Amino acid sequence: MVTDDVLTESMAGPAIRAWEMAAALAVRHEVVLATTSPVCERSSGTFAVEACGPDRFAALERWCSVVVVQGYVLHHVPLLKTTDKVMVVDLYDPIFLEALELNRSQPEPGRSDHLAECLRVFGEQMTRGDFFMCASEKQRDMWVGFLAAAGRVNTAVYESDPTLRRLIDVVPFGLPDQAPRRSGQPAMRAAVPGIGPGDEVVLWGGGVYEWLDPRTAIMAVDRVRSSHPAVRLFFLGVRHPNPVAEESRALTAARELSARLGLTGTHVFFNEGWVPYERRADFLLEADVGISLHHDHVETAYSFRTRILDSIWAGLPTVATAGDTFAEVIAGEGLGAVVHPADPDAVAAAIAGLLEDPAGRDACRRRAATVAPRYTWASALGPLLDFCDAPGPAPDRASLRPWPAAGPLPQPAPAPDRAGGPAPGPGRVDRWASRAARLTGAYRRGGVKAVATGAGRALRRRI
């Protein structure tokens, strides 16, 4: 099992997932969890854990029967591109969609080059993996398209399994089998200056990345504090456990907004560290409401917000933005409130509504207790465990061809001079036609009100 994330007491999503997969596989198999990062501070009583260089990876490749990779592992460990061992590829995190936001401020050609490299890494995985995992059925639809474009949806694979589940299946992020328990140590109340025993805590349960929307959460709390002066917004993780990770632009903007509104240290709090994996229950169980907000873009549609799972595990009523997988779960199961993107008034109303309704929060907790068992690691990892019990090369392994090297991408044309530039080209005409079509569709669905709502969201995004 190879990850490119750091393995410490405080771990981010990819490392947590690799750790839990290794633990589950170790019940039936001999497992080594290796990281390409030099930061490796954890150990396990059931499987080996180590940071590896090229020589050690070469030895492990010779030793193993199956190699499981995620992220940029094939880029960091090139020898795995040519291994003849059975390879499982974990696609739960569509990094190339995150890259569109992550590098948005980077000038060309650097931004396009980074995206091309991202897609090249995924292309190499597509033409090498024997079995693929993703986090949801919607993700699976996208990855089947990738695999088809890479030539992997072919007659040999289809005849082996017409459902293609033997090629790619859903292996979501998971939860512990046991309910969360307090360690006995205070987490926020009486531990963080400014958060008292009687305060109402809204918990942002993970990191702050470019594709998320912490500013709307802060603006909402600014509105709520007039009716709920004891409201406190706590960002659980600010400094990523990987020491080379830089602070995101989204976090910098959130800090600036909170300071400008006079909320930092009174109503908004940034945990400057990263909560250890085994201690997150203390924070979840002290909170009153969870919150997870994101922007309206393509990353949202294919995301799997792993930290919302923690809220479900702890029975924490959650305010979430519409558009992702868990928004449907929250709305469908009655686990909180779902709001439109970039709407601080709606977020404020949702937070206030939950804080003012203790019976409603209790009902959310009871319903969450029935939903959480669907997402336990034991259940989530079933397809991976089954495959590794009887591993084998893909039926089309003999006919696979290496992914072609990505050529240079065409660079965007310079923007025309607004004062007297050329007339709009076909691309700009198409954009106006697309906008007109969206307005027409909105009018047909909901009349003038729907058009006004959509225009308001577009204006807020532009601002």
Side-chain angles (χ1 to χ4, degrees):
M1 175 80 60
V2 191
T3 180
D4 47 20
D5 209 354
V6 301
L7 297 172
T8 64
E9 294 306 309
S10 301
M11 296 188 293
I16 292 170
R17 183 171 169 86
W19 185 272
E20 295 290 354
M21 288 193 293
L25 286 165
V27 174
R28 312 183 193 181
H29 307 284
E30 189 176 357
V31 177
V32 174
L33 171 57
T35 177
T36 64
S37 168
V39 182
C40 182
E41 301 169 359
R42 293 193 64 131
S43 62
S44 167
T46 59
F47 57 92
V49 187
E50 54 186 288
C52 299
D55 291 343
R56 180 57 178 156
F57 273 120
L60 287 173
E61 186 274 336
R62 292 191 296 270
W63 162 81
C64 74
S65 304
V66 178
V67 56
V68 184
V69 300
Q70 61 176 203
Y72 285 96
V73 163
L74 291 189
H75 174 76
H76 295 307
V77 192
L79 70 91
L80 294 179
K81 298 177 187 179
T82 57
T83 182
D84 62 354
K85 301 301 177 65
V86 174
M87 181 176 288
V88 177
V89 178
D90 185 9
L91 300 171
Y92 97 101
D93 186 2
I95 300 171
F96 70 97
L97 295 179
E98 296 176 351
L100 292 169
E101 283 294 319
L102 186 64
N103 300 303
R104 200 165 192 173
S105 64
Q106 185 177 357
E108 296 292 356
R111 187 183 181 201
S112 292
D113 288 345
H114 184 275
L115 180 61
E117 175 67 10
C118 222
L119 291 169
R120 184 188 63 77
V121 170
F122 277 106
E124 290 176 340
Q125 294 174 345
M126 294 296 148
T127 54
R128 178 55 196 86
D130 295 293
F131 177 63
F132 299 85
M133 304 179 293
C134 59
S136 67
E137 289 293 340
K138 186 167 185 176
Q139 274 194 7
R140 186 174 183 268
D141 290 341
M142 177 183 69
W143 290 123
V144 167
F146 264 72
L147 289 162
R152 298 303 305 275
V153 179
N154 51 52
T155 55
V157 169
Y158 184 80
E159 289 304 313
S160 172
D161 174 16
T163 70
L164 302 185
R165 293 283 171 183
R166 179 71 179 179
L167 177 66
I168 178 168
D169 210 344
V170 175
V171 180
F173 216 84
L175 291 173
D177 294 331
Q178 305 81 19
R181 297 179 181 177
R182 298 179 189 270
S183 70
Q185 303 178 57
M188 296 173 290
R189 304 177 191 273
V192 176
I195 302 181
D199 289 338
E200 299 169 314
V201 178
V202 179
L203 182 66
W204 179 285
V208 181
Y209 306 114
E210 307 300 358
W211 46 92
L212 302 179
D213 186 13
R215 296 181 78 257
T216 292
I218 292 168
M219 287 186 280
V221 166
D222 188 41
R223 288 158 169 76
V224 171
R225 64 173 171 151
S226 60
S227 58
H228 291 263
V231 69
R232 304 289 186 264
L233 173 61
F234 188 81
F235 287 91
L236 187 64
V238 168
R239 188 171 300 281
H240 196 280
N242 190 334
V244 303
E246 298 179 355
E247 181 168 297
S248 68
R249 298 189 310 279
L251 176 56
T252 300
R255 289 186 192 275
E256 292 173 351
L257 176 63
S258 178
R260 178 160 52 81
L261 294 175
L263 301 176
T264 304
T266 57
H267 295 278
V268 175
F269 300 82
F270 298 93
N271 177 32
E272 295 301 332
W274 192 273
V275 171
Y277 181 46
E278 281 75 14
R279 276 218 65 203
R280 70 197 190 284
D282 288 331
F283 292 80
L284 292 161
L285 294 174
E286 278 195 13
D288 297 291
V289 174
I291 191 166
S292 176
L293 305 181
H294 47 245
H295 298 291
D296 184 13
H297 46 48
V298 70
E299 185 276 339
T300 292
Y302 295 97
S303 66
F304 194 85
R305 306 287 184 220
T306 56
R307 295 311 171 95
I308 293 183
L309 268 182
D310 279 346
S311 292
I312 295 174
W313 179 50
L316 187 61
T318 301
V319 177
T321 312
D324 71 348
T325 299
F326 278 114
E328 299 173 6
V329 176
I330 291 169
E333 301 289 348
L335 304 181
V338 175
V339 297
H340 288 298
D343 191 341
D345 290 331
V347 176
I351 291 173
L354 288 169
L355 292 178
E356 293 164 5
D357 185 10
R361 296 203 304 273
D362 288 341
C364 286
R365 291 188 184 95
R366 289 193 296 272
R367 287 190 288 266
T370 67
V371 174
R374 303 177 200 168
Y375 293 97
T376 61
W377 284 112
S379 174
L381 296 178
L384 172 65
L385 299 176
D386 291 344
F387 180 85
C388 289
D389 281 347
D396 59 344
R397 165 82 79 84
S399 62
L400 296 183
R401 296 291 181 268
W403 183 262
L409 296 182
Q411 299 306 316
D417 181 359
R418 291 185 180 273
R428 293 183 67 185
V429 173
D430 289 345
R431 284 197 296 274
W432 282 112
S434 174
R435 289 167 184 163
R438 286 200 300 272
L439 289 173
T440 301
Y443 182 80
R444 288 172 178 166
R445 290 191 300 273
V448 174
K449 183 177 180 181
V451 173
T453 299
R457 286 201 299 268
L459 179 60
R460 283 195 295 273
R461 285 198 301 271
R462 254 183 149 19
I463 292 172

